[in-house]
Short mmCIF file of all heavy atoms in Angstrom, two decimals:
data_model
loop_
_atom_site.label_atom_id
_atom_site.label_comp_id
_atom_site.label_asym_id
_atom_site.label_seq_id
_atom_site.Cartn_x
_atom_site.Cartn_y
_atom_site.Cartn_z
N SER T 1 7.80 -3.11 -4.71
CA SER T 1 6.82 -2.95 -5.75
C SER T 1 6.88 -1.47 -6.37
O SER T 1 6.68 -1.33 -7.59
CB SER T 1 5.51 -3.34 -5.45
OG SER T 1 5.00 -2.52 -4.40
N LEU T 2 7.03 -0.50 -5.53
CA LEU T 2 7.01 0.94 -6.00
C LEU T 2 8.31 1.31 -6.66
O LEU T 2 8.42 2.44 -7.22
CB LEU T 2 6.75 1.88 -4.79
CG LEU T 2 5.32 1.79 -4.23
CD1 LEU T 2 5.17 2.69 -3.06
CD2 LEU T 2 4.27 2.09 -5.31
N LYS T 3 9.24 0.38 -6.79
CA LYS T 3 10.47 0.62 -7.58
C LYS T 3 10.07 0.55 -9.07
O LYS T 3 10.83 1.12 -9.89
CB LYS T 3 11.57 -0.33 -7.26
CG LYS T 3 12.12 -0.23 -5.85
CD LYS T 3 13.21 -1.21 -5.58
CE LYS T 3 13.82 -1.01 -4.20
NZ LYS T 3 14.78 -2.07 -3.81
N LEU T 4 9.01 -0.21 -9.40
CA LEU T 4 8.57 -0.33 -10.81
C LEU T 4 8.11 1.03 -11.37
O LEU T 4 8.54 1.42 -12.40
CB LEU T 4 7.51 -1.42 -10.92
CG LEU T 4 7.97 -2.77 -10.48
CD1 LEU T 4 6.82 -3.76 -10.53
CD2 LEU T 4 9.13 -3.31 -11.34
N PRO T 5 7.24 1.75 -10.70
CA PRO T 5 6.88 3.09 -11.23
C PRO T 5 8.06 4.03 -11.26
O PRO T 5 8.23 4.83 -12.17
CB PRO T 5 5.83 3.63 -10.30
CG PRO T 5 5.22 2.36 -9.67
CD PRO T 5 6.36 1.36 -9.53
N THR T 6 8.99 3.90 -10.31
CA THR T 6 10.19 4.77 -10.30
C THR T 6 11.06 4.50 -11.48
O THR T 6 11.71 5.45 -12.09
CB THR T 6 10.91 4.58 -9.01
OG1 THR T 6 10.00 4.82 -7.85
CG2 THR T 6 12.14 5.55 -8.85
N ALA T 7 11.12 3.21 -11.84
CA ALA T 7 11.95 2.83 -13.06
C ALA T 7 11.47 3.46 -14.28
O ALA T 7 12.29 3.63 -15.26
CB ALA T 7 12.10 1.36 -13.13
N VAL T 8 10.18 3.69 -14.40
CA VAL T 8 9.60 4.30 -15.68
C VAL T 8 9.36 5.78 -15.38
O VAL T 8 8.46 6.39 -16.02
CB VAL T 8 8.28 3.53 -16.03
CG1 VAL T 8 8.61 2.18 -16.51
CG2 VAL T 8 7.22 3.58 -14.94
N TYR T 9 10.13 6.31 -14.46
CA TYR T 9 10.11 7.80 -14.27
C TYR T 9 8.84 8.35 -13.66
O TYR T 9 8.40 9.51 -14.01
CB TYR T 9 10.44 8.50 -15.57
CG TYR T 9 11.60 7.99 -16.31
CD1 TYR T 9 11.48 7.31 -17.53
CD2 TYR T 9 12.92 7.91 -15.71
CE1 TYR T 9 12.56 6.66 -18.20
CE2 TYR T 9 14.03 7.36 -16.39
CZ TYR T 9 13.81 6.78 -17.70
OH TYR T 9 14.89 6.12 -18.27
N GLU T 10 8.20 7.54 -12.88
CA GLU T 10 6.98 8.10 -12.19
C GLU T 10 7.13 8.01 -10.65
O GLU T 10 6.16 7.97 -9.92
CB GLU T 10 5.78 7.07 -12.55
CG GLU T 10 5.41 7.11 -13.97
CD GLU T 10 4.92 8.47 -14.52
OE1 GLU T 10 4.38 9.25 -13.66
OE2 GLU T 10 5.06 8.83 -15.70
N GLY T 11 8.37 8.19 -10.27
CA GLY T 11 8.76 8.15 -8.81
C GLY T 11 8.02 9.36 -8.06
O GLY T 11 7.54 9.13 -6.88
N PRO T 12 7.99 10.61 -8.57
CA PRO T 12 7.35 11.64 -7.88
C PRO T 12 5.86 11.36 -7.54
O PRO T 12 5.31 11.90 -6.52
CB PRO T 12 7.54 12.87 -8.75
CG PRO T 12 8.74 12.51 -9.63
CD PRO T 12 8.65 11.09 -9.82
N SER T 13 5.17 10.64 -8.40
CA SER T 13 3.72 10.37 -8.09
C SER T 13 3.54 9.16 -7.26
O SER T 13 2.62 9.10 -6.40
CB SER T 13 3.04 10.27 -9.47
OG SER T 13 3.14 11.37 -10.30
N PHE T 14 4.34 8.14 -7.44
CA PHE T 14 4.12 6.85 -6.74
C PHE T 14 5.41 6.33 -6.05
O PHE T 14 5.70 5.17 -6.07
CB PHE T 14 3.60 5.79 -7.73
CG PHE T 14 2.25 6.16 -8.35
CD1 PHE T 14 2.15 6.59 -9.59
CD2 PHE T 14 1.07 6.04 -7.62
CE1 PHE T 14 1.08 7.01 -10.23
CE2 PHE T 14 -0.12 6.48 -8.18
CZ PHE T 14 -0.16 6.89 -9.50
N GLY T 15 6.15 7.23 -5.43
CA GLY T 15 7.38 6.82 -4.73
C GLY T 15 7.07 6.33 -3.35
O GLY T 15 5.96 6.58 -2.81
N TYR T 16 7.97 5.67 -2.80
CA TYR T 16 7.89 5.09 -1.50
C TYR T 16 8.03 6.16 -0.34
O TYR T 16 8.99 6.94 -0.44
CB TYR T 16 8.74 3.91 -1.29
CG TYR T 16 8.81 3.42 0.19
CD1 TYR T 16 7.79 2.66 0.77
CD2 TYR T 16 9.87 3.84 0.99
CE1 TYR T 16 7.90 2.17 2.07
CE2 TYR T 16 9.94 3.34 2.32
CZ TYR T 16 8.94 2.58 2.84
OH TYR T 16 9.02 2.14 4.16
N THR T 17 7.11 6.09 0.67
CA THR T 17 7.38 6.87 1.85
C THR T 17 7.16 6.03 3.05
O THR T 17 6.54 4.96 3.01
CB THR T 17 6.42 8.16 1.93
OG1 THR T 17 5.09 7.62 1.94
CG2 THR T 17 6.69 9.03 0.72
N GLN T 18 7.73 6.35 4.20
CA GLN T 18 7.71 5.50 5.34
C GLN T 18 6.27 5.45 6.03
O GLN T 18 6.05 4.54 6.78
CB GLN T 18 8.67 6.01 6.40
CG GLN T 18 10.06 5.91 5.93
CD GLN T 18 11.09 6.46 6.99
OE1 GLN T 18 10.70 6.97 8.01
NE2 GLN T 18 12.45 6.35 6.71
N THR T 19 5.41 6.28 5.55
CA THR T 19 4.03 6.22 6.18
C THR T 19 2.97 5.51 5.31
O THR T 19 1.81 5.42 5.64
CB THR T 19 3.55 7.67 6.43
OG1 THR T 19 3.53 8.33 5.19
CG2 THR T 19 4.42 8.41 7.40
N LEU T 20 3.42 4.95 4.15
CA LEU T 20 2.46 4.37 3.24
C LEU T 20 1.81 3.19 3.88
O LEU T 20 0.57 2.93 3.73
CB LEU T 20 3.20 3.93 1.96
CG LEU T 20 3.49 5.10 0.98
CD1 LEU T 20 4.17 4.50 -0.29
CD2 LEU T 20 2.15 5.77 0.58
N ALA T 21 2.53 2.19 4.49
CA ALA T 21 2.00 1.00 5.02
C ALA T 21 0.89 1.32 6.10
O ALA T 21 -0.16 0.76 6.14
CB ALA T 21 3.10 0.12 5.54
N HIS T 22 1.22 2.23 6.94
CA HIS T 22 0.19 2.59 7.99
C HIS T 22 -1.04 3.25 7.35
O HIS T 22 -2.22 3.09 7.88
CB HIS T 22 0.81 3.46 9.06
CG HIS T 22 1.89 2.85 9.80
ND1 HIS T 22 1.66 2.05 10.95
CD2 HIS T 22 3.25 2.81 9.66
CE1 HIS T 22 2.83 1.58 11.42
NE2 HIS T 22 3.83 2.03 10.69
N SER T 23 -0.84 3.97 6.27
CA SER T 23 -2.07 4.62 5.67
C SER T 23 -2.94 3.72 4.98
O SER T 23 -4.08 3.97 4.73
CB SER T 23 -1.55 5.73 4.74
OG SER T 23 -0.85 5.14 3.61
N CYS T 24 -2.43 2.44 4.54
CA CYS T 24 -3.21 1.55 3.82
C CYS T 24 -4.21 0.79 4.79
O CYS T 24 -5.33 0.41 4.41
CB CYS T 24 -2.32 0.49 3.16
SG CYS T 24 -1.33 1.12 1.84
N PHE T 25 -3.78 0.64 6.06
CA PHE T 25 -4.71 -0.07 6.98
C PHE T 25 -4.85 0.77 8.25
O PHE T 25 -4.27 0.46 9.30
CB PHE T 25 -4.03 -1.45 7.40
CG PHE T 25 -3.73 -2.35 6.19
CD1 PHE T 25 -2.49 -2.43 5.66
CD2 PHE T 25 -4.71 -2.98 5.58
CE1 PHE T 25 -2.19 -3.18 4.56
CE2 PHE T 25 -4.47 -3.79 4.42
CZ PHE T 25 -3.23 -3.88 3.97
N PRO T 26 -5.55 1.87 8.12
CA PRO T 26 -5.72 2.76 9.37
C PRO T 26 -6.58 2.02 10.43
O PRO T 26 -7.67 1.50 10.10
CB PRO T 26 -6.39 3.97 8.69
CG PRO T 26 -7.15 3.52 7.56
CD PRO T 26 -6.25 2.36 6.98
N GLN T 27 -6.10 2.10 11.62
CA GLN T 27 -6.90 1.50 12.77
C GLN T 27 -7.18 0.10 12.63
O GLN T 27 -8.18 -0.43 13.21
CB GLN T 27 -8.11 2.36 12.98
CG GLN T 27 -7.88 3.83 13.24
CD GLN T 27 -9.07 4.67 13.45
OE1 GLN T 27 -10.19 4.13 13.24
NE2 GLN T 27 -8.97 5.86 13.75
N GLN T 28 -6.46 -0.71 11.85
CA GLN T 28 -6.69 -2.14 11.76
C GLN T 28 -5.58 -2.89 12.49
O GLN T 28 -4.38 -2.86 12.05
CB GLN T 28 -6.78 -2.54 10.28
CG GLN T 28 -7.89 -1.96 9.46
CD GLN T 28 -9.25 -2.34 9.88
OE1 GLN T 28 -9.37 -3.39 10.54
NE2 GLN T 28 -10.20 -1.63 9.49
N LYS T 29 -5.92 -3.53 13.60
CA LYS T 29 -4.88 -4.23 14.36
C LYS T 29 -4.56 -5.58 13.90
O LYS T 29 -3.53 -6.09 14.07
CB LYS T 29 -5.36 -4.26 15.80
CG LYS T 29 -5.53 -2.85 16.52
CD LYS T 29 -5.88 -2.94 17.90
CE LYS T 29 -6.01 -1.64 18.60
NZ LYS T 29 -6.40 -1.76 20.02
N ARG T 30 -5.58 -6.21 13.24
CA ARG T 30 -5.51 -7.66 12.80
C ARG T 30 -6.03 -7.78 11.47
O ARG T 30 -7.25 -7.75 11.24
CB ARG T 30 -6.10 -8.54 13.84
CG ARG T 30 -5.95 -10.04 13.52
CD ARG T 30 -6.73 -10.91 14.51
NE ARG T 30 -6.70 -12.29 14.19
CZ ARG T 30 -5.82 -13.20 14.59
NH1 ARG T 30 -4.77 -12.64 15.32
NH2 ARG T 30 -5.86 -14.43 14.25
N VAL T 31 -5.18 -7.81 10.46
CA VAL T 31 -5.55 -7.82 9.04
C VAL T 31 -5.45 -9.25 8.51
O VAL T 31 -4.33 -9.81 8.52
CB VAL T 31 -4.76 -6.90 8.23
CG1 VAL T 31 -5.18 -7.04 6.71
CG2 VAL T 31 -4.93 -5.40 8.74
N MET T 32 -6.53 -9.89 8.18
CA MET T 32 -6.48 -11.27 7.60
C MET T 32 -6.57 -11.17 6.05
O MET T 32 -6.58 -10.11 5.48
CB MET T 32 -7.70 -12.08 8.13
CG MET T 32 -7.75 -12.08 9.65
SD MET T 32 -6.35 -12.93 10.49
CE MET T 32 -6.69 -14.59 10.18
N LEU T 33 -6.68 -12.35 5.44
CA LEU T 33 -6.60 -12.41 4.00
C LEU T 33 -7.76 -11.67 3.31
O LEU T 33 -7.50 -10.81 2.39
CB LEU T 33 -6.67 -13.95 3.48
CG LEU T 33 -6.70 -14.13 1.98
CD1 LEU T 33 -5.54 -13.49 1.30
CD2 LEU T 33 -6.78 -15.58 1.75
N ASN T 34 -8.97 -11.93 3.67
CA ASN T 34 -10.18 -11.31 3.04
C ASN T 34 -10.14 -9.78 3.20
O ASN T 34 -10.44 -9.08 2.33
CB ASN T 34 -11.41 -11.87 3.51
CG ASN T 34 -11.59 -13.35 3.16
OD1 ASN T 34 -11.67 -13.67 1.88
ND2 ASN T 34 -11.71 -14.28 4.13
N MET T 35 -9.73 -9.27 4.41
CA MET T 35 -9.68 -7.89 4.64
C MET T 35 -8.58 -7.31 3.77
O MET T 35 -8.73 -6.19 3.23
CB MET T 35 -9.45 -7.55 6.03
CG MET T 35 -9.41 -6.05 6.44
SD MET T 35 -8.96 -5.77 8.15
CE MET T 35 -10.33 -6.56 8.93
N PHE T 36 -7.46 -7.98 3.63
CA PHE T 36 -6.33 -7.50 2.80
C PHE T 36 -6.84 -7.43 1.34
O PHE T 36 -6.51 -6.41 0.66
CB PHE T 36 -5.15 -8.47 2.93
CG PHE T 36 -4.00 -8.15 2.05
CD1 PHE T 36 -3.13 -7.26 2.34
CD2 PHE T 36 -3.81 -8.79 0.76
CE1 PHE T 36 -2.02 -6.86 1.61
CE2 PHE T 36 -2.74 -8.54 -0.03
CZ PHE T 36 -1.82 -7.57 0.38
N LEU T 37 -7.60 -8.35 0.85
CA LEU T 37 -8.04 -8.36 -0.56
C LEU T 37 -9.07 -7.28 -0.71
O LEU T 37 -9.09 -6.56 -1.78
CB LEU T 37 -8.63 -9.68 -0.93
CG LEU T 37 -7.78 -10.89 -0.93
CD1 LEU T 37 -8.56 -12.17 -1.29
CD2 LEU T 37 -6.64 -10.70 -1.90
N ASP T 38 -9.91 -6.98 0.27
CA ASP T 38 -10.87 -5.88 0.19
C ASP T 38 -10.26 -4.46 0.04
O ASP T 38 -10.58 -3.70 -0.76
CB ASP T 38 -11.81 -5.86 1.40
CG ASP T 38 -12.71 -7.08 1.37
OD1 ASP T 38 -13.06 -7.62 0.30
OD2 ASP T 38 -13.21 -7.51 2.49
N ILE T 39 -9.17 -4.37 0.81
CA ILE T 39 -8.45 -3.04 0.87
C ILE T 39 -7.59 -2.83 -0.39
O ILE T 39 -7.62 -1.75 -0.99
CB ILE T 39 -7.66 -2.88 2.13
CG1 ILE T 39 -8.60 -2.85 3.32
CG2 ILE T 39 -6.83 -1.54 2.12
CD1 ILE T 39 -7.97 -2.78 4.67
N VAL T 40 -6.85 -3.89 -0.70
CA VAL T 40 -5.92 -3.66 -1.87
C VAL T 40 -6.63 -3.75 -3.17
O VAL T 40 -6.18 -3.22 -4.13
CB VAL T 40 -4.73 -4.71 -1.71
CG1 VAL T 40 -3.76 -4.63 -2.83
CG2 VAL T 40 -4.06 -4.61 -0.32
N ALA T 41 -7.66 -4.53 -3.26
CA ALA T 41 -8.38 -4.61 -4.55
C ALA T 41 -9.03 -3.20 -4.84
O ALA T 41 -9.22 -2.84 -6.01
CB ALA T 41 -9.52 -5.59 -4.47
N ASP T 42 -9.47 -2.41 -3.81
CA ASP T 42 -9.83 -1.14 -3.98
C ASP T 42 -8.79 -0.25 -3.33
O ASP T 42 -8.91 0.27 -2.22
CB ASP T 42 -11.20 -0.78 -3.32
CG ASP T 42 -11.70 0.56 -3.55
OD1 ASP T 42 -11.17 1.23 -4.53
OD2 ASP T 42 -12.69 1.00 -2.90
N PRO T 43 -7.59 -0.10 -4.06
CA PRO T 43 -6.40 0.24 -3.32
C PRO T 43 -6.21 1.74 -2.84
O PRO T 43 -6.93 2.54 -3.37
CB PRO T 43 -5.33 -0.03 -4.42
CG PRO T 43 -6.07 0.25 -5.72
CD PRO T 43 -7.44 -0.10 -5.52
#
């Protein structure tokens, strides 16, 4: 999904890094649907 900002020349601001996934769910061992919506809706 972050290839889309890169395609419109916004890669430096919203490019992919290997630590992004872990930073989205810090200290969450089991993420279910409602928790996923809570975190990504306020991303």
